[in-house]
Amino acid sequence: MKQSRIFSVAVASAAVLGSVVAVSGTANAAFDPDTADRVTTNAQLGQEVPGTPYPATGWFQGAVTAPAGTVTFDGAGLNSAGGNVQLLNAYDAPASTLTDLVLDADFASLGDATFQVPIFANATGTGTQFTTLRPVATGDAGFTATSQWVTSQALGTYAAGAVATLAEFQAQIAQIDAGGDQAAAATILAYGFITPDPLTSSVQAVAFGDESTWFIPAPSGTYVPATLTVSQVSTTGIAVEGAGFFPGETLSVLFSNENAQSSGDQDIVLTADAQGRIAANIVIPADQLQGPGTYIINLIGDDSGIALEGVVTVTADAAVAPVPAGPVAPVAVPVRANAAFTG
């Protein structure tokens, strides 16, 4: 799983008492959290009908050979198991842009999902010479111009099943465009991923072109308490529970006064579980506090860039009342007696 500018998000301030909020910002125009799709149920998926064109919009399950697998959703994302599973998102772009789109794409997954891009070569007419190009490697390992890719059907001089670099396939597409159907250049029809039987996978997110989709639940969380004393921050700490991170990713902890100029990066590393959840007790060293005041706490996914932010009010410790003094015992004073003389 690679860290990408597409999935990175910026940390901003937000005042929410008793809960944690997901904070996001745009690191690149290709990924705008405010407009990105979040697909987390089967009801949001269409279905390809064999012998008919792809659905015109949205994510859909492709028609696959038996045995067909199943799709489920949970904290790990979109899970494929039990057979062949193909998920595609309808897309329309000239295939001449394939390499640029792939180099800027992002694919966050676990297991054995393989990214793929179906195209029409249009060598002998519009809507002809269908093939699907995909990296030989699973996950995001094939997202370079020199990565090895494979074509499912014949593509120009390449036979079905031929392996070449993405750059070589791109050059072949250029040759087809130069000598083929002048009414239509080679066209990208969709993008997505496939998990073949008997392999399994969980996909968290994908970005391609100006589109992004998250398959994990929306980030959420709580922290307790929202108000605590200076001593409590550095002893009992703050209990945090969160969800919506990438499975198994590490999280950085930031804790800083609301007026501080620094990030307040703490020497604390947390790890999300297999469902992208986190539960931890965060204790801040006393020397990191600037006394009573309002503090911002952030948990930031190192791979996803997802940030859960909350506000903590730190109050002064209660003053220690002086112990009342007891009664003072009188001081013994020696009494001088007169000397007595005899004889």
Side-chain angles (χ1 to χ4, degrees):
M1 181 188 299
K2 66 181 178 181
Q3 169 72 35
S4 169
R5 58 189 174 83
I6 297 178
F7 288 136
S8 63
V9 293
V11 177
S13 296
V16 177
L17 297 178
S19 65
V20 177
V21 332
V23 179
S24 59
T26 55
N28 182 273
F31 180 66
D32 182 352
D34 295 328
T35 60
D37 292 328
R38 191 173 292 276
V39 176
T40 56
T41 67
N42 290 77
Q44 294 173 270
L45 301 175
Q47 178 66 57
E48 177 190 3
V49 178
T52 66
Y54 281 166
T57 60
W59 283 90
F60 59 92
Q61 295 191 60
V64 295
T65 58
T70 59
V71 172
T72 59
F73 292 89
D74 59 18
L78 187 156
N79 308 302
S80 302
N84 297 307
V85 176
Q86 182 188 48
L87 274 298
L88 296 171
N89 194 22
Y91 198 77
D92 182 13
S96 59
T97 63
L98 176 62
T99 298
D100 289 339
L101 289 169
V102 169
L103 294 181
D104 284 339
D106 218 335
F107 186 50
S109 65
L110 298 172
D112 291 292
T114 303
F115 192 79
Q116 57 179 199
V117 182
I119 69 170
F120 272 138
N122 294 333
T124 59
T126 303
T128 61
Q129 284 75 56
F130 173 85
T131 191
T132 297
L133 297 175
R134 60 174 176 80
V136 172
T138 59
D140 60 10
F143 286 62
T144 70
T146 57
S147 298
Q148 294 289 303
W149 282 53
V150 61
T151 178
S152 66
Q153 306 295 327
L155 177 63
T157 60
Y158 290 101
V163 174
T165 66
L166 179 61
E168 289 169 336
F169 279 127
Q170 186 72 81
Q172 185 69 92
I173 290 170
Q175 291 182 20
I176 294 172
D177 279 345
D181 178 19
Q182 298 304 305
T187 304
I188 295 174
L189 306 175
Y191 64 89
F193 48 92
I194 189 168
T195 305
D197 182 60
L199 304 177
T200 62
S201 70
S202 297
V203 176
Q204 291 79 52
V206 60
F208 190 78
D210 58 354
E211 299 180 350
S212 298
T213 305
W214 295 81
F215 299 106
I216 55 177
S220 62
T222 61
Y223 64 89
V224 177
T227 300
L228 66 171
T229 66
V230 170
S231 294
Q232 288 174 324
V233 173
S234 58
T235 55
T236 56
I238 306 162
V240 177
E241 293 186 359
F245 293 99
F246 283 176
E249 74 170 322
T250 57
L251 285 74
S252 299
V253 178
L254 307 183
F255 187 84
S256 62
N257 186 280
E258 64 176 348
N259 298 318
Q261 299 300 312
S262 62
S263 66
D265 192 6
Q266 301 297 308
D267 188 20
I268 302 173
V269 177
L270 307 177
T271 303
D273 67 14
Q275 289 294 308
R277 299 170 301 204
I278 187 71
N281 203 63
I282 298 174
V283 176
I284 305 299
D287 61 4
Q288 297 292 310
L289 294 175
Q290 300 176 21
T294 300
Y295 288 80
I296 308 298
I297 182 170
N298 274 288
L299 305 184
I300 302 177
D302 294 332
D303 290 320
S304 66
I306 293 168
L308 292 181
E309 179 184 278
V311 176
V312 174
T313 300
V314 178
T315 61
D317 292 319
V320 179
V323 178
V328 178
V331 177
V333 178
V335 177
R336 182 177 180 178
N338 292 329
F341 296 92
T342 60

